[in-house]
Amino acid sequence: MFAVQTGQQLVYDAMDVEPGRFAAAVGEFRAGGGRGLNVTVPFKEQAWALAEQRSARAQRAGAVNTLVFDGDGPIFGDNTDGLGLVRDLTVNQGVMLEGRRVLLVGAGGAARGVLEPLLAQRPALLVIANRTPEKAVELARLFCDLGHVEGCGFPVLDGQRFDVVINATAAGLQGEVPPLPTDVAAADGWCYDMMYGSGPTAFVRWARQQGVAHAVDGLGMLVEQAAESFRIWRGVRPLSAPVIAALRAELAAAD
Ligand code: ATR
């Protein structure tokens, strides 16, 4: 859809790669004339390791979702996930992050990938909460030079209130929701799930049950990270809104 919109001639397809064959598959793709790849779970860390040059944000994220091949030159790796999240929140949803209290739930690769762009928005406080508190504390330590960021477990959140709560855990894969205290999200605040699906995700349903004013899934983030990858490859930024709308309609039809 981006290529049609911007008049670019290209082929973009999905490749299913066996675990353990990532580097080989990238090598074959490149040998066949491939110019760039989006990489998704569980290969983002391997893509980071394969990249010979990385953007600063990818370097810190420890994960790469965009690879660029330029002839025989070094493989370039970038990470557009965080920018995708921030763009969907701020541009598409109109959420102001500056000066806000933001809670990031989860401390795995998905959380780490979005921390730098989130902190660049200058929230008043960013708390990382995780089932395994040590991982959240460690992640906060790694990013503490970029803003006011703290790590903790879920019980510590009791009695705290946040303007924006972002779910970066894998709990939704099992249809589960992290055990957050009730009222952790302000009633007029936002709950954002980095996951998406054909219907409302478990976290979005939880947020609605809590009576939180705004509950959004991660479809917009998916499209925004892809738009930024497209810009890196092709030098032109496509419009994301019509693509989000088309995907949303497709998902609704499949539901
Ligand atoms: P990803 O790359 O998707 O972040 P990951 O690195 O395996 O995957 O991290 C998964 C995250 O989801 C972790 O923060 C994990 O918590 P732990 O660090 O305590 O394992 C979190 N997670 C997974 N299932 C969960 C559940 N049912 N409830 C709460 N958190 C969960």
Side-chain angles (χ1 to χ4, degrees), residues 106-110 130-132 135 169-171 176 178:
N130 196 44
R131 182 172 61 182
T132 314
K135 284 167 69 178
T169 71
E176 290 174 12

Side-chain angles (χ1 to χ4, degrees), residues 161-246:
R161 192 72 47 88
F162 294 87
D163 304 304
V164 181
V165 179
I166 300 166
N167 178 34
T169 71
L173 293 176
Q174 282 87 41
E176 290 174 12
V177 177
L180 296 169
T182 48
D183 293 340
V184 77
D188 61 349
W190 289 78
C191 282
Y192 191 100
D193 196 351
M194 283 170 52
M195 293 206 171
Y196 64 93
S198 52
T201 64
F203 184 71
V204 164
R205 288 199 306 272
W206 172 85
R208 287 179 183 160
Q209 281 159 15
Q210 301 274 313
V212 178
H214 311 278
V216 187
D217 73 8
L219 186 71
M221 174 180 172
L222 171 80
V223 175
E224 292 296 350
Q225 60 81 31
E228 179 63 8
S229 296
F230 190 91
R231 189 194 63 73
I232 291 167
W233 293 319
R234 313 299 295 191
V236 51
R237 177 167 253 290
L239 293 175
S240 48
V243 179
I244 295 172

Side-chain angles (χ1 to χ4, degrees), residues 32-43:
R35 299 288 305 277
L37 286 170
N38 275 134
V39 181
T40 192
V41 179
F43 294 121

Side-chain angles (χ1 to χ4, degrees), residues 4 9 19 39 54 57-58 70 75 84 111 124 127 147-148 157 203 223 231 240:
V4 169
Q9 298 294 315
V39 181
R54 304 177 194 103
R57 62 190 177 193
D70 187 8
I75 300 175
V127 172
H148 187 182
L157 298 173
F203 184 71
V223 175
R231 189 194 63 73
S240 48

Side-chain angles (χ1 to χ4, degrees), residues 17 22 25 29 73 75 94 96 101 112 120 128 145 154 161-162 216 230:
V17 176
F22 179 71
F29 175 76
I75 300 175
M96 161 94 141
R101 290 170 56 86
R112 182 171 173 160
I128 307 167
D145 58 318
F154 296 134
R161 192 72 47 88
F162 294 87
V216 187
F230 190 91

Side-chain angles (χ1 to χ4, degrees), residues 89-155:
L89 271 171
T90 60
V91 180
N92 300 338
Q93 312 291 343
V95 185
M96 161 94 141
L97 294 170
E98 185 172 357
R100 295 290 180 83
R101 290 170 56 86
V102 177
L103 174 63
L104 181 64
V105 188
R112 182 171 173 160
V114 299
L115 268 169
E116 180 172 342
L118 273 180
L119 286 167
Q121 295 294 306
R122 307 173 59 81
L125 170 67
L126 195 152
V127 172
I128 307 167
N130 196 44
R131 182 172 61 182
T132 314
E134 298 76 29
K135 284 167 69 178
V137 171
E138 171 62 7
L139 211 50
R141 195 187 60 76
L142 284 173
F143 286 81
C144 66
D145 58 318
L146 298 181
H148 187 182
V149 52
E150 292 172 7
C152 63
F154 296 134

Side-chain angles (χ1 to χ4, degrees), residues 51-63:
E52 294 152 303
Q53 289 179 354
R54 304 177 194 103
S55 68
R57 62 190 177 193
Q59 182 65 23
R60 213 186 248 264

